[in-house]
Amino acid sequence: MHLLDAIRRRCTTNGHMLPDPVSEERQRLLMEVAGRAPSQLNSQPWRFVLIEEPDTIRSIARISGESMKKIMANGAFFERYKPYFRFSAAEMESSRDGMLFDKLPAPLRPFTSQVYTSRGQKLMNALRVPSTLGAENEKLVAGSPLLLGVMLTRAENRPGELSSFYPTFSLGAAMENVWLTTVELGMGIQFIFFPMEVPENWHRIERLLEVPDELELMAVYRLGYLPPEQRRPAIDWSSHQRKLPSQYMFRGTCATPQQGWDDPLPST
């Protein structure tokens, strides 16, 4: 596969993964490409922990499901991320960003316009939407054959200082290398972010992984091979739209949006 094809096909895996283990050879490849990322002064501030142990994966899955249920039930999730939620194709086409909730249970569809209100929150709780989503999230994580914990060295990562930008930027580059390589290998990958929204649960994962004081756990991902046909969860979203060049880039100065590039390039 050409690099450009991998970039264009890169996506997040929302659905289930096959239980097939990821071979040691492919794990080594994923770690090699991560280590090839650029870093300031060749500091290489990233550290990774590969998790295959079923008990540990199930524990992290439970924490993730509990976290999702909690922040969905108390309204924190919708309040925090409402600028990114879309409930119609027209809204998605207009903004060309965010997540389109295009798969919802029938009883919930008439109430999407009220999702940010106290009445809408009560309705979702009454319909057990947080519980449904939390249970589904736990299944997704528990069914993943490989988890990847991503860390930074605290000596490099110093929040509040200018220098803290560099390790974060480098870690993003390392994970983009991993992400694009999963496309090449026919694998899926998804960021497990819900425990980060509940600090005490994030600390539980740090303890599970025995993260030492000199490292900071930045993220956890689930990885695995994709089934021939993806079964979508009960409540799901899509995020295929991308902004047009005229919406995110400028020419010469920021007063002049780029013109004439909105038509897609021909395939190479």
Side-chain angles (χ1 to χ4, degrees), residues 9-165:
R9 289 174 55 186
R10 186 214 60 80
C11 63
T12 295
T13 299
N14 290 343
H16 292 269
M17 296 172 178
L18 296 173
D20 306 17
V22 179
S23 69
E24 182 176 335
E25 178 184 10
R26 292 201 161 181
Q27 292 182 35
R28 288 183 65 178
L29 177 60
L30 292 170
M31 291 296 91
E32 179 192 350
V33 299
R36 294 282 181 176
S39 60
Q40 185 201 27
L41 305 174
N42 196 28
S43 56
Q44 303 176 61
W46 46 71
R47 301 291 185 271
F48 302 94
V49 54
L50 293 160
I51 306 140
E52 295 181 285
E53 294 74 16
D55 287 347
T56 305
I57 292 175
R58 283 192 293 268
S59 294
I60 292 174
R62 281 194 297 273
I63 294 170
S64 183
E66 291 169 9
S67 301
M68 186 175 193
K69 178 181 176 181
K70 181 173 183 176
I71 66 171
M72 288 286 186
N74 65 19
F77 181 77
F78 291 103
E79 181 61 31
R80 194 170 297 157
Y81 298 111
K82 62 185 178 183
Y84 309 104
F85 296 153
R86 317 283 178 244
F87 294 101
S88 72
E91 188 181 9
M92 190 70 175
E93 181 62 27
S94 174
S95 67
R96 300 189 69 86
D97 62 9
M99 305 187 324
L100 172 63
F101 284 80
D102 57 347
K103 189 174 186 296
L104 294 168
L108 193 60
R109 292 171 199 157
F111 302 98
T112 54
S113 62
Q114 303 175 44
V115 71
Y116 308 127
T117 66
S118 58
R119 181 175 182 272
Q121 185 66 54
K122 290 176 182 177
L123 175 66
M124 284 196 298
N125 290 349
L127 292 173
R128 295 183 56 80
V129 170
S131 295
T132 299
L133 285 171
E136 184 66 30
N137 180 262
E138 180 175 345
K139 289 179 186 176
L140 288 175
V141 178
S144 307
L146 180 67
L147 303 186
L148 176 64
V150 179
M151 298 164 287
L152 282 177
T153 58
R154 292 188 185 275
E156 298 288 339
N157 187 35
R158 298 183 292 273
E161 296 184 22
L162 175 60
S163 59
S164 70
F165 165 80

Side-chain angles (χ1 to χ4, degrees), residues 245-263:
S246 61
Q247 294 176 303
Y248 67 81
M249 65 170 294
F250 307 90
R251 174 67 63 176
T253 74
C254 295
T256 310
Q258 173 69 48
Q259 299 297 319
W261 284 16
D262 285 356
D263 291 334

